[in-house]
Amino acid sequence: MTDEQQPAPDGVQIRLSPEEALVLFALLSRWCEDGSAPTPQASCFESTAEGAVLHGLLADLETQLVAPFTAEYRALLKGARDRLKASWDYPTLRG
């Protein structure tokens, strides 16, 4: 079987805690929808496919999360960020 004849791999499920999902939603929303928010430089991406995947992930989160569409969203997001802060105490993504 050649590479072109290989069956497509099965989909992948990623599990996030409610707090992780909310923080990721806020980040992706900022990057994808807020025209004034800073975003990663184009040099961060090797392919436009990576941007497409991030947009798709945001769309999936939008269909599953209720919190971003409630009056308490800001407080819920702050609480989620506060709870997750301790799990990463490095100054950058690389540690």
Side-chain angles (χ1 to χ4, degrees), residues 85-92:
K85 259 189 239 184
S87 63
W88 187 266
D89 67 358
Y90 300 101
T92 69

Side-chain angles (χ1 to χ4, degrees), residues 35-93:
S36 62
T39 61
Q41 298 292 326
S43 61
C44 287
F45 300 98
E46 291 185 6
S47 167
T48 56
E50 294 167 346
V53 169
L54 293 175
H55 272 271
L57 185 55
L58 175 59
D60 286 347
L61 289 169
E62 286 174 341
T63 66
Q64 296 180 55
L65 294 176
V66 174
F69 309 103
T70 66
E72 300 85 24
Y73 172 61
R74 292 283 170 214
L76 293 169
L77 178 58
K78 182 184 179 323
R81 286 176 173 160
D82 288 345
R83 285 186 292 282
L84 290 170
K85 259 189 239 184
S87 63
W88 187 266
D89 67 358
Y90 300 101
T92 69
L93 258 175

Side-chain angles (χ1 to χ4, degrees), residues 12-29:
V12 174
Q13 289 185 350
I14 298 173
R15 297 203 183 272
L16 299 171
S17 71
E19 290 88 3
E20 291 167 334
L22 203 55
V23 170
L24 182 59
F25 173 86
L27 173 67
L28 293 175
S29 293

